[in-house]
Amino acid sequence: PGLIKLTSSTGSRGIQYRTLIFFSLFLNPERPPVRSTMGLVWMVVAALLASWVFNALVYLVWRPRAITRQLRAQGVGGPGYRFFAGNLAEIKRLRADTAGAALDVGNHDFVPMVQPHFHKWIPIHGTKLRQFLLIHDSLQRHHQLVPALTFWSAAGRTFLYWCGARPSLCVADVNTVKQVLSDRSGLYPKNIGNPHIARLLGKGLVLTDGDDWKRHRKVVHPAFNMDKLKMMTVTMSDCAGSMMSEWKAKMDKGGSVEIDLSHQFEELTADVISHTAFGSSYEQGKKVFLAQRELQFLAFSTVFNVQIPAFRYLPTEKNLKIWKLDKEVRTMLMNIIKSCLATKDTMGYGSDLLGLMLEACAAEGGHNPILSMDEIIDECKTFFLAGHDTSSHLLTWTMFLLSTHPEWQQKLREEVLRECGSEVPTGDMLNKLQLVNMFLLETLRLYAPVSLIQRKAGSDLEVGGIKVLEGTVLTIPIAMIHHDKEVWGEDANEFKPIRFENGVMRAGKHPNALLSFSNGPRSCIGQNFAMIEAKAVIIVILQRFSFSLSPKYVHAPMDVITLRPKFGLPMILKSLEM
């Protein structure tokens, strides 16, 4: 009866001995005296403590060393694991060192500011010279030239770093990135390492995997049909026109005014997503927008902290603030959804994204909707954040580049006036604007709204010729790849829209090098929405204003999940209308 089975395994099997203890002490009819029972209790406590210490040592010491040795044997180096925190302390220090930096307005290489750890580590730990002996040995023993050279290329741009005790493989080789992103078998699920990021985005289409992802996509995909999106062009243009009228009203007698466009575009894209996704005005969606923006900054402040699962449930000041904001967002979105459902019998679901999604959700009977209310709310969170945040920064960086390249501003204005005149742009007009499209693609390359994405190994597998263990995070540094001279040529850090003259597939040395909307089956479902919105807004601006960068502007790109100018985008606007 007093027998205790101890095990060194982790996970659910690691509690076997606790179960046996319970049966031994409480279900045995011949229980020992009280003193003996107390002794056994202390033995149990000691055993539990010893097991916890053992598992902690395995997770925090032995496992990182074993993984480091395994990858080093394959030629993959890294900055080296530090107990408990991994490399997070060094990442914070490097980011703090560049916090006050600023660039010349003609310098687009912001990677040392936004991703200083990658900028430092790839030349040191991702060097191809490290692989020479391994390749040479492979050639000598197997005479396999092509596989060896492929491995050389991939391993030379890959290194291991640690977020706490969790291994992360930085994958900066485009061929390896293609392998990960083009997978359709579920080998590389989304990485949800930070619960606050998951709370911000909602566990919708962006973060789900497997059958859940297929179920969400079945509901969401019809809302992003290209024909339906084109019908929203007029709404987008009208929202932009209203803001342009406000700009015109602020102008002095000379017909010019200085405005922070970064802030203006945040309001504009929130207005657009409110109308096109929820059928409401900016004023109605303003509280959702403000709450989510605050949540975004709070969530990003935890990105470089060690993630301890239990800490997310503690009533800390930051957690209490996050819970409060999240509750507010959910309540406001719930009210918008209920309002839409209340009028469906008399007015239908409507033609906005939410209505189209609710209609698709109820299409198979209604009694058992494809998505639950919580899942619909999560999709709305994604709509609101992705639908206005990334779009607003795309517009901001586009205007920055137009203001610093007046010759391109004039080229685009001539194209817009030739194809659209002074009319409100329609979906058909947008397809004719080749120069505008090239300009936006180059903006997305130089200033991609999201500077990295992550997946994880769903099982023990081989990626880019490197064997990795299940759970290993695969980090794809989009910003670094977009500025890589081996991928885009020696002019990779230069603004050159003409590189997209023959399309995205031929712009670089690799057809899948542009990753602004990711790639493969999990690419951003809203990319057409974002491009249509950006074109519609830029057209309306070019029709009515010329603009130049304010002397007050400081070029300091900053990453807060999305890439934005740290000090806004003050711009001097001049009216073209008489």
Side-chain angles (χ1 to χ4, degrees):
L3 179 64
I4 299 174
K5 179 182 178 182
L6 295 176
T7 175
S8 62
S9 63
T10 58
S12 60
R13 295 191 302 274
I15 63 170
Q16 291 177 14
Y17 67 92
R18 299 183 181 89
T19 306
L20 290 179
I21 289 169
F22 176 84
F23 280 101
S24 174
L25 293 180
F26 300 102
L27 298 184
N28 182 11
E30 300 178 1
R31 285 190 286 179
V34 174
R35 182 175 297 178
S36 178
T37 301
M38 290 302 296
L40 282 174
V41 170
W42 282 112
M43 287 176 61
V44 171
V45 172
L48 288 172
L49 183 61
S51 174
W52 182 86
V53 171
F54 176 78
N55 288 333
L57 288 173
V58 168
Y59 185 75
L60 296 174
V61 179
W62 179 83
R63 182 172 171 271
R65 289 183 178 180
I67 292 173
T68 300
R69 283 197 301 269
Q70 180 204 34
L71 289 173
R72 189 173 292 157
Q74 301 179 71
V76 179
Y81 171 75
R82 298 290 182 269
F83 179 74
F84 186 70
N87 304 118
L88 291 175
E90 184 177 0
I91 293 174
K92 288 181 178 179
R93 179 181 59 78
L94 290 170
R95 289 178 63 87
D97 290 344
T98 61
L103 300 173
D104 181 81
V105 291
N107 186 351
H108 307 300
D109 186 15
F110 59 83
V111 174
M113 295 172 60
V114 172
Q115 297 174 337
H117 46 301
F118 293 152
H119 179 72
K120 175 184 177 181
W121 290 337
I122 279 187
I124 299 173
H125 305 294
T127 176
K128 297 177 181 178
L129 183 61
R130 182 186 295 273
Q131 316 309 324
F132 178 78
L133 292 177
L134 288 174
I135 297 163
H136 181 71
D137 182 61
S138 176
L139 292 172
Q140 291 255 330
R141 288 186 289 109
H142 303 292
H143 307 288
Q144 294 178 339
L145 178 61
V146 175
L149 291 178
T150 301
F151 170 73
W152 188 4
S153 175
R157 306 194 65 72
T158 302
F159 66 89
L160 174 70
Y161 70 105
W162 296 85
C163 294
R166 192 170 190 190
S168 295
L169 207 63
C170 178
V171 181
D173 173 69
V174 182
N175 287 306
T176 307
V177 170
K178 180 185 176 183
Q179 175 189 339
V180 173
L181 297 181
S182 62
D183 173 69
R184 294 179 179 272
S185 59
L187 290 175
Y188 308 99
K190 291 296 183 78
N191 175 52
I192 312 176
N194 188 305
H196 301 304
I197 301 293
R199 188 186 295 272
L200 172 69
L201 282 171
K203 206 166 187 305
L205 191 66
V206 172
L207 296 181
T208 50
D209 289 297
D211 291 338
D212 284 339
W213 176 75
K214 292 177 182 177
R215 188 164 48 85
H216 279 255
R217 183 174 175 81
K218 184 177 182 179
V219 170
V220 176
H221 186 263
F224 288 91
N225 175 280
M226 193 62 179
D227 291 334
K228 292 177 180 177
L229 291 179
K230 284 183 178 180
M231 292 172 62
M232 298 178 183
T233 305
V234 174
T235 301
M236 296 172 177
S237 301
D238 287 344
C239 291
S242 297
M243 181 160 281
M244 305 303 110
S245 298
E246 293 178 10
W247 294 357
K248 185 73 181 294
K250 294 178 182 178
M251 289 188 168
D252 57 25
K253 294 181 180 179
S256 66
V257 65
E258 182 175 313
I259 296 176
D260 180 5
L261 292 190
S262 178
H263 176 70
Q264 291 284 294
F265 287 146
E266 286 180 350
E267 292 193 359
L268 173 60
T269 53
D271 191 18
V272 169
I273 200 65
S274 293
H275 277 91
T276 58
F278 304 110
S280 61
S281 68
Y282 171 69
E283 290 303 321
Q284 187 174 344
K286 185 174 183 178
K287 290 182 179 179
V288 178
F289 156 63
L290 292 174
Q292 274 206 310
R293 185 170 64 178
E294 192 171 354
L295 266 175
Q296 183 175 351
F297 278 81
L298 285 169
F300 186 76
S301 70
T302 68
V303 166
F304 300 109
N305 295 338
V306 177
Q307 299 300 316
I308 301 175
F311 279 23
R312 76 183 72 170
Y313 303 109
L314 298 179
T316 62
E317 182 180 355
K318 182 173 290 185
N319 281 348
L320 289 172
K321 183 66 173 176
I322 289 173
W323 298 341
K324 178 177 178 291
L325 288 169
D326 184 59
K327 184 178 179 180
E328 290 177 2
V329 169
R330 293 184 69 83
T331 301
M332 288 183 283
L333 291 175
M334 175 73 82
N335 290 336
I336 292 174
I337 294 168
K338 285 182 176 179
S339 176
C340 181
L341 291 173
T343 59
K344 69 180 178 64
D345 293 331
T346 56
M347 300 176 61
Y349 286 101
S351 59
D352 53 66
L353 296 179
L354 174 61
L356 294 171
M357 184 174 71
L358 290 173
E359 186 176 11
C361 189
E364 296 188 359
H367 298 294
N368 295 304
I370 303 174
L371 298 183
S372 68
M373 182 59 72
D374 283 340
E375 288 174 321
I376 293 173
I377 289 173
D378 281 341
E379 289 297 352
C380 289
K381 282 184 178 182
T382 304
F383 278 1
F384 222 99
L385 182 69
H388 85 79
D389 192 63
T390 55
S391 296
S392 72
H393 301 315
L394 170 57
L395 286 169
T396 296
W397 293 119
T398 300
M399 289 294 288
F400 164 72
L401 290 171
L402 280 170
S403 67
T404 53
H405 296 83
E407 72 284 3
W408 274 96
Q409 183 182 153
Q410 186 57 33
K411 286 180 183 179
L412 264 60
R413 183 175 291 108
E414 290 172 0
E415 182 183 59
V416 165
L417 294 176
R418 181 173 64 251
E419 301 295 343
C420 306
S422 58
E423 298 178 18
V424 175
T426 63
D428 291 333
M429 291 178 181
L430 302 186
N431 294 331
K432 301 176 183 179
L433 302 174
Q434 294 182 344
L435 290 180
V436 172
N437 191 61
M438 287 161 49
F439 197 99
L440 288 171
L441 290 173
E442 180 70 342
T443 303
L444 286 167
R445 185 187 73 84
L446 285 175
Y447 295 94
V450 179
S451 59
L452 66 81
I453 54 177
Q454 289 186 329
R455 298 290 183 88
K456 65 181 177 182
S459 60
D460 295 351
L461 48 78
E462 189 172 294
V463 54
I466 301 166
K467 295 178 181 178
V468 298
L469 297 179
E470 179 180 357
T472 302
V473 176
L474 305 174
T475 300
I476 300 171
I478 293 175
M480 288 209 70
I481 293 171
H482 281 187
H483 291 78
D484 190 341
K485 294 182 179 180
E486 292 187 21
V487 177
W488 299 96
E490 289 300 314
D491 58 358
N493 288 318
E494 298 176 19
F495 173 75
K496 192 177 178 182
I498 201 69
R499 73 176 81 242
F500 289 99
E501 184 177 19
N502 297 315
V504 174
M505 304 292 280
R506 297 182 181 180
K509 298 179 182 179
H510 194 287
N512 301 106
L514 189 68
L515 300 169
S516 305
F517 296 111
S518 187
N519 261 327
R522 299 298 302 268
S523 61
C524 176
I525 196 172
Q527 57 184 299
N528 288 330
F529 179 94
M531 290 296 284
I532 289 174
E533 179 181 10
K535 290 177 183 179
V537 174
I538 292 299
I539 289 170
V540 174
I541 294 175
L542 288 171
Q543 286 174 330
R544 304 186 186 189
F545 300 96
S546 64
F547 42 89
S548 58
L549 201 61
S550 168
K552 298 176 183 177
Y553 175 73
V554 178
H555 192 36
M558 175 181 69
D559 186 19
V560 186
I561 302 178
T562 49
L563 188 73
R564 65 193 67 208
K566 186 175 183 179
F567 304 104
L569 181 64
M571 190 79 70
I572 298 173
L573 301 167
K574 292 184 178 181
S575 176
L576 295 175
E577 298 175 347
M578 299 301 293

